[in-house]
Structure formats: structure tokens, C-alpha cells
Amino acid sequence: MVPRRKNTVFVDGVILNGPTTDAKAGEKFVEAACRLIMEEVVLKATDINEKVCEWRPPEQLKQLLDLELRDTGEPHHRLLELCQDVIRYSVKTNHPRFFNQLYAGLDYYSLVARFMTEALNPSVYTYEVSPVFLLVEEAVLKKMIEFIGWKEGDGIFNPGGSVSNMYAMNLARYKYCPDIKEKGLSGLPRLILFTSAECHYSMKKAASFLGIGTENVCFVETDGRGKMIPEELERQVWQAKKEGAAPFLVCATSGTTVLGAFDPLDEIADVCERHGLWLHVDASWGGSALMSRKHRKLLHGIHRADSVAWNPHKMLMAGIQCCAFLVKDKSDLLKKCYSAKASYLFQQDKFYDVSYDTGDKSIQCSRRPDAFKFWMTWKALGTLGLEEKVNRALALSRYLVEEIKKREGFKLLMEPEYANVCFWYIPPSLREMEEGPEFWAKLHLVAPAIKERMMKKGSLMLGYQPHRGKVNFFRQVLISPQVRREDMDFLLDEIDLLGRDM
């Protein structure tokens, strides 16, 4: 049969016949771009001869990159050149000598999972549009809840540990005063929350965002290792009550950002029980120690928490971002707190079990299937493989600590209990100087200067900071299984090479 020719259809001057994109050309572009990613990113990820970064100052980088957006599109060969430039001038966080943040390295399985979800472009709110990924999220949350030590619970993946902490703060407030969802803040007493002086800065941001106010965040003093002092917590709770305020939440930290400290959860839980306070544990960084039978004792007592933040994209390398907020409650408290019952999404007369439409317990509408990355890695490595990641990272930390103790010019801030190794490099010019104000003022300038040199050289990336009265020091964080003992030796050798003339 001869196909009938269709007449051209115009609406508002637009031709509606046929697709407007060239699928074949698009497919070729994707293939070429994937080859480029494989050659320039994946295959070079573990090559120590590659630079960690190709540093350029902002104004120069603006000139090197063609950032202008034009009225007409550009050819594919030009787009591939732009892709090459993006890769060249981006920091290689997969590099074995990238130690700058609380994430690093390349997990091949989570990378494939990311490729898949980017291609499928799902949104995880209803079972009808995201059946596989909702079931994956349910399975992963169930397993994480098991490792916390709860018999049951609830949870959701969200964009970042900061958001998890905000979820916790809002949920604790809702549990304390359910009417706030409809009636708002008017008529409420002065709500007070307590957290460690070493807590993540997201606690202040959450208090500001939620209308609690940063002045109503009480920072509890820590001991010399950065752990919250339970006796000081209880003293502040009694003081707040005496002043007529209404305490409702305590946020403990398992794995502080700088020192890697773990708060004493059992003692803090005792205080919370005595005063009827919600206990949230920010284990965004340290939560992955739960996977290790050797190191899970760091989080002893976490099963007594009401909620937990845990980021598998950090120590377990599930790929940014992959963050879970977990709740011990199984009475649908999350859904009661956040549900808006959008009738165009969460119809109750669907032909399947609508309890799988979990999106209404999220503050988001569109939501990425972040659990899938962690699920793929967990399936590939098994629980024992994830445990080995944690054990190896902490073993490498111990190696680095012992090497620092042996070397002239290096001084530990303190013995670490996790993968955060904090130390000073003291150049030869300061080694005979008495440790007085002049010494510390000069030492304060050393780490930033070495950081500048290593960035411009591209040999490694390592973070530094001042902290609670201590002058600038380096913070080495160990995560990636691609990191070798030789990289630890290189780190110390390179710092000495870059700083010995200061």
C-alpha cells in the first residue's frame, strides 16, 4: 500500500508535522561524548601522573571557556570541544590525591547507576512514574534502618545532609506542636534547640530558614576532642526551662566536619529521655562506620535516636549526592508533617497500592532517584565490601598518623578517632622558635601558602582551616580505596617540598 501523504499542519505559524529534533545526530553526539568521558575522566581517574587540577583564576578561566549563550545553536564538534574544556579545567575529585573534602574517588558501579538515571530521567514521587526506583529506595532505607539498630522505621533520600538536618528540626517541632502545620508560628512559646559547638553549620541555617531563629540555637560546649559534654547539655536544658523557653530538640554529631569527633550518644540520649526531647544524630559523615563491625562502636547508642542523617556519598562513595534522612517513628509522622495531598499526583483511587506513592512525605515534588546509586554499589560489593572500604580508610589514616609522628616539621593536632587527620607543617625557619604569639601568627600563614602552591602545581588538593582558637592546620580526609600507602608518603613529601623555604 502506498502511504497517504499528510498535509502540513500549521498552528500559530509552527509546523506540527514530525519531530523537530534529529535523533540520529543526537545519538551520534551522545556516543562521542560518552567516549570522551570514558577516555578523559574514567580511564584517567586513578592515574597519579595526571594533575588533580588545572588551576586558573576566575577572570582567566572566563576567557578560556566559551560561556556566552547565543541566539543560535552551535555544531556538535564545537560542543565536544567545550566538553573537553570543562573536563580539563574541572577539579578531578576522582584523583587518588584529592583529599580536599568529605567525598573523593570513583565508584564505578554508582557511576553506571548515575548514567542510567540521567538517561531515564525519572522523578521519584509516585509508583506509576517511578516503579523501580521507589522499590529500590524502600529496600535501601530498610537496610540502613537495620544497621542503625531500629526494628522498624521510615525515611527518605533528599539533596544533602543539610536538608536532612532541616527535615529533623522541622519534624521534631511538628511532633512537639502539631498545630504549627496549619496555624503557623503565632502563639508558640520560644522554642529552643541544642547542638554541639562543633556541629555542622546547617543547624544555624535550618533554624533561620524555619523561623526558629539562630539565637534559639544553644551551642553546647565540647571537650578537648570535640565531643559534646552531656553534663553541659543538661545544664543548658535546665537553664532554658528556667527562662521560660521550650526545649524540643537535641542534635548530636557522629563525625564532626573538621575533627571527626563522635558525640557520646548514650549519655546524650539519657538527657533527652529525662526531658522529653527529640534526639537527632547528624551522622552524615560518620554514619558509614556502622557498616564496619570493628568501628561501629564509634556510634554506640545511635539506636536510641529519633532520627538520623547519613550520607552514603561520603565514605561509601555512592556519588554526590546520596543522602538519607531516617526516622525511628513508623506512624507516618513524616507524611503527616509534610503531606500536601496534591490531587493531581496522589489520587487515592488509583488501580494499585497507593502506599507506594511516597513523594508526599518529601518537601520536594521532583526528586532524584539517589538511592539507586547506593543500591548498585551495595549489590556489587556486598555488605562485606562496604565494610572493607571503611576499614581500609581508617587503616590508612592510622598509617598517616604514625608517619606524621616520625617526621620532623609535622605536628598532630590530636590523635584522630576517624578518617580526619589534622596536623600542622612547621617549616625549618620556625622549628627553633618558642611557641608564643609570634610563632603561632607565622604558622597561621603557612598552610594557606602551601595550599596555593599545590593548587597551582596541580599535584594534590588538601584542605586547611583555623578552628576554635587554633591557627590554620591541614585536614587530611581518607576515603577512596584508590588511595595507596605511597600516596600518604607523597602527601607528606610534597608538603615539605612546597613549604621548606617558608
Side-chain angles (χ1 to χ4, degrees):
M1 294 180 63
V2 177
R4 188 176 62 179
R5 178 177 295 178
K6 295 182 180 179
N7 294 327
T8 302
V9 177
F10 288 89
V11 175
D12 293 335
V14 178
I15 300 174
L16 302 184
N17 298 62
T20 58
T21 57
D22 185 342
K24 292 295 182 184
E27 290 163 7
K28 289 182 179 179
F29 176 72
V30 171
E31 288 178 4
C34 285
R35 282 195 301 272
L36 179 65
I37 293 168
M38 192 68 195
E39 293 167 4
E40 296 299 319
V41 180
V42 178
L43 295 180
K44 293 182 178 180
T46 59
D47 188 350
I48 59 172
N49 296 312
E50 293 289 327
K51 286 187 175 184
V52 179
C53 62
E54 190 72 51
W55 171 257
R56 296 291 186 276
E59 293 307 316
Q60 184 182 352
L61 190 56
K62 287 178 184 179
Q63 299 300 317
L64 291 169
L65 299 174
D66 182 6
L67 299 174
E68 184 182 351
L69 299 172
R70 301 177 176 86
D71 291 338
T72 57
E74 302 187 35
H76 286 177
H77 72 85
R78 177 60 187 142
L79 296 179
L80 291 171
E81 291 172 359
L82 293 173
C83 290
Q84 182 78 62
D85 288 342
V86 167
I87 293 170
R88 179 182 179 187
Y89 295 112
S90 290
V91 173
K92 310 307 185 293
T93 64
N94 300 326
H95 197 287
R97 292 172 181 170
F98 174 82
F99 307 115
N100 209 65
Q101 314 297 147
L102 299 183
Y103 67 90
L106 175 63
D107 180 86
Y108 300 101
Y109 307 105
S110 69
L111 179 63
V112 169
R114 281 180 274 173
F115 286 161
M116 290 175 64
T117 55
E118 290 300 317
L120 291 167
N121 197 33
S123 183
V124 186
Y125 35 55
T126 63
Y127 184 82
E128 63 184 282
V129 298
S130 195
V132 173
F133 298 119
L134 275 168
L135 295 180
V136 164
E137 182 173 67
E138 179 186 60
V140 173
L141 289 170
K142 182 179 179 181
K143 200 69 176 176
M144 295 176 80
I145 285 167
E146 178 184 315
F147 272 86
I148 289 172
W150 297 335
K151 293 181 179 178
E152 57 182 1
D154 197 2
I156 198 158
F157 276 78
N158 60 72
S162 296
V163 176
S164 292
N165 290 337
M166 186 182 74
Y167 265 101
M169 193 177 295
N170 194 48
L171 194 63
R173 183 175 65 175
Y174 174 78
K175 181 71 182 294
Y176 181 83
C177 182
D179 287 345
I180 193 172
K181 182 175 179 180
E182 284 83 27
K183 297 181 180 179
L185 298 172
S186 60
L188 282 181
R190 180 190 171 205
L191 296 176
I192 291 280
L193 65 101
F194 306 87
T195 188
S196 160
E198 297 273 349
C199 75
H200 191 260
Y201 65 85
S202 60
M203 296 306 294
K204 288 181 70 173
K205 287 197 171 190
S208 172
F209 184 82
L210 294 170
I212 292 169
T214 57
E215 290 185 0
N216 295 316
V217 180
C218 295
F219 296 100
V220 180
E221 194 50 66
T222 57
D223 63 17
R225 296 193 56 81
K227 299 170 180 285
M228 186 192 293
I229 302 171
E231 295 79 10
E232 179 64 16
L233 168 64
E234 184 138 42
R235 188 193 67 78
Q236 289 203 26
V237 172
W238 280 118
Q239 182 64 31
K241 288 182 174 181
K242 184 178 178 181
E243 293 172 359
F248 74 103
L249 167 68
V250 173
C251 176
T253 309
S254 289
T256 58
T257 305
V258 178
L259 302 179
F262 287 73
D263 288 339
L265 300 181
D266 251 341
E267 292 91 333
I268 292 170
D270 289 341
V271 176
C272 291
E273 284 185 6
R274 283 195 290 271
H275 294 274
L277 304 176
W278 182 285
L279 174 57
H280 172 65
V281 177
D282 179 4
S284 297
W285 171 221
S288 296
L290 290 169
M291 305 299 297
S292 167
R293 287 164 290 185
K294 183 176 182 179
H295 298 292
R296 63 176 295 117
K297 61 188 176 185
L298 290 168
L299 297 102
H300 180 72
I302 195 170
H303 65 284
R304 299 176 65 186
D306 296 292
S307 60
V308 173
W310 179 358
N311 293 3
H313 76 229
K314 296 183 186 291
M315 179 67 77
L316 299 178
M317 298 171 57
I320 288 179
Q321 49 205 13
C322 186
C323 312
F325 175 62
L326 304 142
V327 185
K328 185 187 290 185
D329 174 90
K330 194 55 180 171
S331 68
D332 263 348
L333 189 67
L334 260 178
K335 189 172 183 179
K336 291 172 186 173
C337 181
Y338 293 111
S339 172
K341 299 179 181 178
S343 60
Y344 72 94
L345 274 179
F346 305 112
Q347 305 93 330
Q348 297 303 296
D349 56 357
K350 293 180 179 180
F351 63 93
Y352 59 86
D353 182 355
V354 295
S355 68
Y356 287 96
D357 289 355
T358 58
D360 213 16
K361 63 185 179 185
S362 168
I363 60 172
Q364 300 168 254
C365 180
S366 299
R367 192 165 62 91
R368 296 173 63 88
D370 291 327
F372 183 61
K373 296 176 285 191
F374 188 31
W375 179 84
M376 183 69 85
T377 297
W378 204 330
K379 291 288 281 186
L381 302 180
T383 302
L384 295 178
L386 295 178
E387 179 181 35
E388 176 57 27
K389 276 181 183 278
V390 177
N391 290 345
R392 189 175 189 280
L394 269 67
L396 269 174
S397 299
R398 289 309 314 164
Y399 174 83
L400 180 61
V401 166
E402 295 308 313
E403 287 300 305
I404 287 172
K405 291 176 180 178
K406 295 176 188 175
R407 296 199 182 207
E408 185 182 9
F410 290 86
K411 181 178 180 180
L412 278 175
L413 204 73
M414 63 178 65
E415 288 281 343
E417 62 178 336
Y418 199 46
N420 307 46
V421 181
C422 299
F423 63 93
W424 287 288
Y425 172 73
I426 304 169
S429 65
L430 300 180
R431 289 175 194 171
E432 303 302 321
M433 186 180 292
E434 183 182 350
E435 291 186 5
E438 184 183 359
F439 170 85
W440 292 113
K442 289 184 175 181
L443 186 60
H444 185 65
L445 304 176
V446 172
I450 292 177
K451 177 66 178 281
E452 178 182 357
R453 290 179 179 184
M454 71 172 65
M455 289 283 290
K456 290 180 176 178
K457 185 177 178 182
S459 55
L460 71 146
M461 279 187 67
L462 179 66
Y464 75 88
Q465 61 283 301
H467 187 68
R468 307 199 74 196
K470 293 181 172 64
V471 303
N472 282 322
F473 57 87
F474 290 111
R475 181 200 63 170
Q476 159 75 329
V477 179
L478 281 150
I479 296 173
S480 173
Q482 280 100 31
V483 176
R484 309 159 303 153
R485 184 266 303 165
E486 292 87 345
D487 296 312
M488 298 297 92
D489 297 336
F490 175 83
L491 169 78
L492 300 180
D493 290 341
E494 186 73 356
I495 288 174
D496 185 50
L497 177 67
L498 296 171
R500 66 176 59 153
D501 65 337
M502 292 181 181

